[in-house]
Amino acid sequence: MPCGEDWLSHPLGIVQGFFAQNGVNPDWEKKVIEYFKEKLKENNAPKWVPSLNEVPLHYLKPNSFVKFRCMIQDMFDPEFYMGVYETVNRNTKARVLHFGKYRDVAECGPQQEVDLNSPRTTTLERQTFYCVPVPGESTWVKEAYVNANQARVSPSTSYTPSRHKRSYEDDEDMDLQPNKQKDQHAGARQAGSVGGLQWCGEPKRLETEASTGQQLNFLNLSSPFDLNFPLPGEKGPACLVKVYEDWDCFKVNDVLELYGVLSVDPVLSILNNDERMRRTVRVLCLKLPGDASSLLDPMECTDTAEEQRVHSPPASLVPRIHVVLAQKLQHINPLLPACLNKEESKTCKFVSGFMSELSPVRAELLGFLTHALLGDSLAAEYLILHLISTVYTRRDVLPLGKFTVNLSGCPRNSTFTEHLYRIIQHLVPASFRLQMTIENMNHLKFIPHKDYTANRLVSGLLQLPSNTSLVIDETLLEQGQLDTPGVHNVTALSNLITWQKVDYDFSYHQMEFPCNINVFITSEGRSLLPADCQIHLQPQLVPPNMEEYTDSLLSAVLPSLLNKFRIYLTLLRFLDYSISDEITKAVEDDFVEMRKNDPQSITADDLHQLLIVARFLSLSAGQTTLSRERWLRAQQLESLRRTRLQQQKCVNGNEL
């Protein structure tokens, strides 16, 4: 059995060891999973696993053990593959049994061929997901993961690069590999190996084909293959993720952390175009379920050319990951433990230690956001409540816990929203700023739709993972005409805000996808979009230069304090919350009294709003139950907010 670091560089050797010991007994598969689970429990072991998020693909060794932090963008049809197959030597007639799990291409020596009629062949099923890097992931999140990952400084004596034509000058800003590896890279280029495989014919052609897609991907040049990222300007690799167990618990838009075997075999990039390779290379995937005893190559299936292009892109552009272990991520904040809502997290020393210093952190955050909002402390209070809000349950179709805030009174056509968004980006793990112009509303694709020709889900701006902060800048909206797509986009935003759902377009029907997106709207007057809460901005100062003001504000905050803000805003989303019977009775009595004093303006919706404000006000102070003090403070905040809106209405009647 291989040992030491072989589980990182040669995971298939580990798998082969278990397969050889157990033969066709299915227990070998469970033993493989348990082995890697135990390996990852060792001290700092996950930090030594190279990540596709941080390490460029051409630095990674084919068939090595890697990890990937991603969102499921699409789910392809299940595929059949040969879990066990047999090869026979044409000369000696010797037979060898092989495993097909965690592989794309059958292992077959020069004198061997796959026996398609062997009774020992076993056909199994796996699920393929199309995964992309987490949309809108903040720069500080990426940097924290890069700094934590130690695999980038781990020398590898068996390093064989899988790409050759890319210039290292293009990678100076990420300098992820030691000089020794760079030297090895140059040496391997002269040796004529591709993707760690030795070829006896046409090395130049294979080298070129394998490198071109990679160069396009990491230089962010225009590519003939659309990587289908939901947000514009996103970078990083998309992956075809092949899952072997428990794939039913994963769904589109889930954020996952995957550990598995990287497959970038050059054969996958040229199979469709090279007749010689199609004749000599056997692929493990069976495209059609009808005849499980036959072995099909991609050109013999009934897929359209477009579907084949999308579902079998070049491995140099879209690598494959054969998943050994996978878990859903509750959050992507690298400063916090991965799991925050299980029993063990309640006794976590890190969490309990942070909760003990929550009060001063909140006070510092309130001051920081007050400066960001030009001295408006009331708006800063509501921004904190908004940033920790989350949909905690759904009652019928109503999402409870959503708290969309409309910050009105923002300067029109100014850079205020842009710089306020910069502040928010430094605080939350994932965000996106939507500039609400007539042109954007008419031309951008908000709603994902099904492309039946390519048999894939084409992404849209609103295909976002849970807890993404969506900042809508309405101050840029000018007079103009919304066409039909623009009207549909506005409707989609309204449905997202009101119902926390996005209706994906499947041409013949719409499919409802629930979501949990924090929407923050900046506008001059009252927003055209619905909002749970409108707070009118009252600046106490007017900086002559917003960019310089924001730069100085960010530079004045210590990195350690900024990290505490980030922990605070993520952690509080996962705290439990309850209201005692005694406080419930007091709330009911207060509501009856308010109705007596002002029956016209106090409604059941106002009570619901008060309870939401009280909930997040309590959680912002680290309190998981509503106290009389916090209830009264919520009433006070709401009274101040309403008074401000009434004053604005007197000044400008179209504000409300």
Side-chain angles (χ1 to χ4, degrees), residues 288-341:
L288 299 176
D291 185 4
S293 65
S294 66
L295 197 78
L296 304 181
D297 69 41
M299 295 303 290
E300 292 172 335
C301 66
T302 58
D303 295 345
T304 64
E306 181 64 17
E307 181 175 352
Q308 183 63 40
R309 188 181 74 90
V310 168
H311 288 244
S312 300
S316 56
L317 188 64
V318 181
R320 281 67 163 163
I321 297 180
H322 293 266
V323 175
V324 178
L325 299 169
Q327 65 169 338
K328 281 188 195 178
L329 292 181
Q330 290 179 289
H331 64 87
I332 56 170
N333 190 331
L335 306 174
L336 278 166
C339 186
L340 290 173
N341 68 353

Side-chain angles (χ1 to χ4, degrees), residues 134-142 230-232 234 332 386-387 418 420-434 461 463-472 517-520 573:
V134 180
E137 190 175 68
S138 298
T139 301
W140 66 267
V141 173
K142 299 179 192 295
L231 299 179
E234 293 283 288
I332 56 170
H386 163 76
L387 291 174
E418 177 186 347
L420 177 59
Y421 175 63
R422 278 184 60 201
I423 299 291
I424 293 175
Q425 275 186 306
H426 278 79
L427 298 175
V428 300
S431 62
F432 179 66
R433 174 182 171 229
L434 173 60
L461 287 179
Q463 189 178 8
L464 300 171
S466 290
N467 299 320
T468 302
S469 288
L470 177 60
V471 176
I472 301 177
I517 309 298
N518 274 20
V519 183
F520 185 77
R573 290 172 177 264

Side-chain angles (χ1 to χ4, degrees), residues 448 450 452 503-513:
K450 181 74 172 183
Y452 286 95
D503 294 322
Y504 290 17
D505 182 9
F506 282 75
S507 296
Y508 310 106
H509 68 284
Q510 290 187 330
M511 186 175 294
E512 182 179 298
F513 281 74

Side-chain angles (χ1 to χ4, degrees), residues 130 223-229 238 309-310 313 317-318 456 458-459:
Y130 186 84
S223 167
F225 184 79
D226 176 16
L227 292 178
N228 215 7
F229 293 148
R309 188 181 74 90
V310 168
L317 188 64
V318 181
R456 71 165 176 172
V458 180
S459 62

Side-chain angles (χ1 to χ4, degrees), residues 196-355:
L197 302 177
Q198 297 294 332
W199 296 93
C200 57
E202 300 188 327
K204 293 286 185 184
R205 177 181 179 184
L206 295 178
E207 176 183 320
T208 303
E209 299 228 15
S211 64
T212 302
Q214 186 62 32
Q215 193 172 17
L216 288 172
N217 190 20
F218 283 94
L219 289 178
N220 200 30
L221 302 177
S222 59
S223 167
F225 184 79
D226 176 16
L227 292 178
N228 215 7
F229 293 148
L231 299 179
E234 293 283 288
K235 297 181 181 179
C239 290
L240 285 178
V241 172
K242 309 209 171 187
V243 181
Y244 294 84
E245 286 91 17
D246 301 325
W247 61 73
D248 290 340
C249 64
F250 300 138
K251 60 184 185 298
V252 170
N253 301 338
D254 280 348
V255 175
L256 308 178
E257 184 173 52
L258 310 170
Y259 290 87
V261 179
L262 175 67
S263 175
V264 287
D265 200 312
V267 172
L268 299 172
S269 303
I270 62 174
L271 269 174
N272 295 345
N273 302 317
D274 194 304
E275 183 67 28
R276 181 181 64 84
M277 293 303 300
R278 290 207 313 273
R279 289 198 305 265
T280 57
V281 178
R282 289 296 185 181
V283 181
L284 288 171
C285 173
L286 297 170
K287 206 48 190 157
L288 299 176
D291 185 4
S293 65
S294 66
L295 197 78
L296 304 181
D297 69 41
M299 295 303 290
E300 292 172 335
C301 66
T302 58
D303 295 345
T304 64
E306 181 64 17
E307 181 175 352
Q308 183 63 40
R309 188 181 74 90
V310 168
H311 288 244
S312 300
S316 56
L317 188 64
V318 181
R320 281 67 163 163
I321 297 180
H322 293 266
V323 175
V324 178
L325 299 169
Q327 65 169 338
K328 281 188 195 178
L329 292 181
Q330 290 179 289
H331 64 87
I332 56 170
N333 190 331
L335 306 174
L336 278 166
C339 186
L340 290 173
N341 68 353
K342 292 184 179 178
E343 289 300 320
E344 55 264 27
S345 70
K346 296 179 181 179
T347 57
C348 175
K349 290 183 179 179
F350 177 89
V351 174
S352 58
F354 186 82
M355 293 299 289

